Amino acid sequence: MTAFTLADLDRIVRERAAASPEESYTAKLVAGGPARPAKKLGEEAVEAAIAAVQGDRDGLTAEAADVLYHLLVVLQAAEVPLEAVMAELERRTAQSGIAEKASRRPA
């Protein structure tokens, strides 16, 4: 098992987002405004879903890594800290998924 965590990746994304867009792909994504990293996140999520449906474990592993990275870039661009997302997940896990969904307001 690796000792690398989502918090480690978040720290790297934050550091690289502060770099020059000429030096960092992360900074280039963030500099493109919210649509650019969001578009990449969507593309990677679709690729992960396709790999899952095809039963491609190695492909799913690689695409899931891309999804996590691009999600953290989207959060960075939107100035939403990973800690806020983790707190929301913690709040939601205090009850069953069915009860949590039932507690949401209709859209």
Side-chain angles (χ1 to χ4, degrees):
M1 187 69 159
T2 179
F4 189 76
T5 68
L6 197 55
D8 293 330
L9 180 58
D10 183 55
R11 178 186 44 76
I12 292 167
V13 165
R14 284 185 281 116
E15 289 171 359
R16 292 184 180 170
S20 165
E22 290 80 33
E23 298 172 7
S24 166
Y25 175 68
T26 302
K28 185 180 282 191
L29 285 173
V30 171
R36 187 163 186 188
K39 179 180 177 199
K40 287 299 295 178
L41 173 61
E43 290 170 6
E44 300 301 343
V46 168
E47 291 170 4
I50 291 168
V53 168
Q54 293 175 340
D56 179 0
R57 291 176 54 96
D58 291 339
L60 178 55
T61 299
E63 296 302 339
D66 289 344
V67 168
L68 290 174
Y69 163 75
H70 285 92
L71 175 58
L72 291 176
V73 174
V74 166
L75 292 173
Q76 174 67 32
E79 298 180 0
V80 174
L82 177 60
E83 293 78 17
V85 176
M86 298 310 291
E88 177 63 12
L89 286 170
E90 182 178 33
R91 183 192 68 76
R92 289 181 182 191
T93 58
Q95 59 185 325
S96 78
I98 293 172
E100 192 281 325
K101 282 190 175 272
S103 72
R104 295 183 196 176
R105 293 186 198 149

